[in-house]
Amino acid sequence: CTATLIGCRTVITAAHCFCNPYNDVASCVAAGRHNTVRQRTLFGLQNAGAFEIESVVIHPQYQGTFPNTRADLAVLRLGVAVDGVHPARINQHGTPPPGSLGEIIGFGITN
């Protein structure tokens, strides 16, 4: 899963990286995955190395049922601060209008 460093110990990624993508947050919480790490224990930064994940918080309105996925967000807390990499700035100017073009860059795979 692709993720973005948004603070020195804070990372944002997709909830489906930690919860079954065909379930909702209730199923994820029931399985104890809303604030614990399942199989993924490291967050890797290309130029800084690997960092232990201390905790995972899943968006409370996560609904993973494809193709109607909603609130597919997870926030990771790293065990130590990342040094030498600047966090990405978060858009605080408003929501882009529907139909806006965007570019997504990541290291994923497609089925």
Side-chain angles (χ1 to χ4, degrees):
C1 286
T2 300
T4 301
L5 186 69
I6 59 171
C8 61
R9 290 182 61 192
T10 308
V11 177
I12 192 165
T13 189
H16 74 259
C17 298
F18 293 90
C19 293
N20 183 330
Y22 297 99
N23 290 331
D24 59 15
V25 73
S27 302
C28 190
V29 169
R33 296 188 187 119
H34 66 294
N35 62 5
T36 58
V37 177
R38 186 173 54 156
Q39 296 170 348
R40 295 157 178 84
T41 58
L42 296 175
F43 170 68
L45 283 168
Q46 204 166 355
N47 298 314
F51 297 84
E52 279 194 45
I53 299 171
E54 183 177 279
S55 65
V56 177
V57 178
I58 304 299
H59 192 288
Q61 295 175 342
Y62 170 64
Q63 172 103 23
T65 308
F66 290 127
N68 300 316
T69 303
R70 289 182 283 166
D72 191 9
L73 297 170
V75 176
L76 315 180
R77 179 81 171 162
L78 303 179
V80 298
V82 175
D83 190 27
V85 177
H86 295 287
R89 292 185 176 167
I90 296 176
N91 174 9
Q92 297 180 1
H93 302 287
T95 304
S100 296
L101 295 178
E103 186 173 346
I104 298 173
I105 300 170
F107 301 100
I109 59 171
T110 302
N111 294 352

